[in-house]
Structures are given as C-alpha cells and as structure tokens.
Amino acid sequence: MDKLGAKEYLAEIADLIEDGIHEAVIDNTEDGAVLLMTAASPFDENGELAYSVSFEEFKADMYIFQIMIFAFTNIPEERFEELRVAINALNARISLGSFVLFEEANAVFFNHSFLLDETANAAVAARILLRSIGLMENAVVNAGQWLLRLLAAECTVDTMMNALNEEE
C-alpha cells in the first residue's frame, strides 16, 4: 500500500471510530500517515489522552499497526529513574501492551502493536483497533493510577511495589 493509500485507509478508520473521540486528524510523517486522536483523560477532567495509530509495511502483504496512548506529559527529568522502576514493575503484570517512558518528549505512553494483513478492510481493522484500544485504556486507567500517584508524590516506588506484591 502506498502512502496515499495508507492515508485514505486511516481516514476511513477514523470515520468509523467516533465514540468518545474529541478530535481526529491524519498527519503525514516521513514513515507515512498517522492517525492522531484525542479523548477525555481518566486522570484529569480538563485533560486529554492523545492517541497515535500508525501502520507500516512489514512484508508484502502484512502491516504492523502501532497504537500509542500518551497518558502523562511534562514529566520532570529528575523523576525518570523512579518511573523506570515503576514502569518495569507494572509492565511485568500487564498482558497486552506496555508503558514506555519517552524521555525525548518527557512523556509516558502505553503502546501495543499487532499485525494485520492487507486483505482486512477498514471496518475489520477499526473493529480490531477499537477492541485493542478498549483493552489498552483499561490498562492505562488501572495501572496508570500508580504512575499518577507516584508523579503526584502520593506514594513511593517502594509503597507501590509492596502493594503490587500483596495483590499477587
């Protein structure tokens, strides 16, 4: 699929994904088209989560879809080390996707990727994306509460680790 075809495909998916989305735009990058969306944040009534959906050719007939949900931004660099420890502990307990500390942007996002063959039409892809995003949002809300508390200095990494170990 060429870059124009990818852009049209993402636009068709964006039209199918409407519930809860504040804004959806297609952006062009050097790697191809990216669907950027925003929705209400579960952590801040005035905030938003930012979603990025992209895909790139994996093989002649297969594409890698990557979904990123940016949950926390403007993180001070001095918090990076404790976030790395917390993220590693949380990721060990999550079965679909993982949190990533994106140091260049001072942000934490949740990431999941999957393969889809080129025969899948946009409606099928949208249905898979919606299910994946729903599962990802659940992980962002549940596990993200720990990151939120850590960033607000309401707990320490040790407190979080002890609580997670007690849950097992």
Side-chain angles (χ1 to χ4, degrees):
M1 182 177 306
D2 63 13
K3 288 186 179 184
L4 179 60
K7 187 174 181 177
E8 290 172 355
Y9 189 69
L10 286 174
E12 192 173 339
I13 290 170
D15 288 342
L16 294 167
I17 302 174
E18 294 178 356
D19 291 344
I21 300 299
H22 294 173
E23 181 181 11
V25 297
I26 307 291
D27 192 19
N28 289 313
T29 69
E30 61 186 46
D31 295 325
V34 178
L35 171 59
L36 303 172
M37 302 179 292
T38 57
S41 171
F43 306 115
D44 177 359
E45 64 184 43
N46 298 319
E48 290 186 320
L49 294 179
Y51 298 75
S52 169
V53 179
S54 62
F55 72 104
E56 61 183 74
E57 190 171 7
F58 175 67
K59 292 185 185 180
D61 61 347
M62 298 292 287
Y63 293 87
I64 298 174
F65 267 82
Q66 181 176 27
I67 307 164
M68 294 185 283
I69 302 174
F70 286 83
F72 304 101
T73 58
N74 303 317
I75 299 170
E77 287 182 33
E78 59 269 13
R79 306 300 298 276
F80 285 0
E81 191 53 41
E82 66 184 336
L83 276 174
R84 279 188 201 96
V85 173
I87 285 170
N88 284 337
L90 292 170
N91 284 344
R93 291 161 171 83
I94 298 171
S95 58
L96 175 75
S98 59
F99 284 99
V100 175
L101 174 60
F102 184 30
E103 294 181 31
E104 294 83 13
N106 295 51
V108 171
F109 65 87
F110 194 77
N111 183 60
H112 174 60
S113 300
F114 59 92
L115 289 173
L116 193 63
D117 79 26
E118 72 176 5
T119 62
N121 64 32
V124 170
R127 190 168 57 242
I128 292 169
L129 283 169
L130 284 172
R131 288 182 181 163
S132 297
I133 288 170
L135 292 169
M136 292 172 69
E137 287 171 338
N138 187 49
V140 167
V141 169
N142 293 327
Q145 294 296 327
W146 285 109
L147 297 177
L148 180 66
R149 291 183 62 210
L150 188 66
L151 288 168
E154 295 174 0
C155 74
T156 64
V157 173
D158 289 337
T159 305
M160 182 194 90
M161 296 294 286
N162 289 335
L164 290 172
N165 289 333
E166 287 177 14
E167 290 177 2
E168 291 184 336

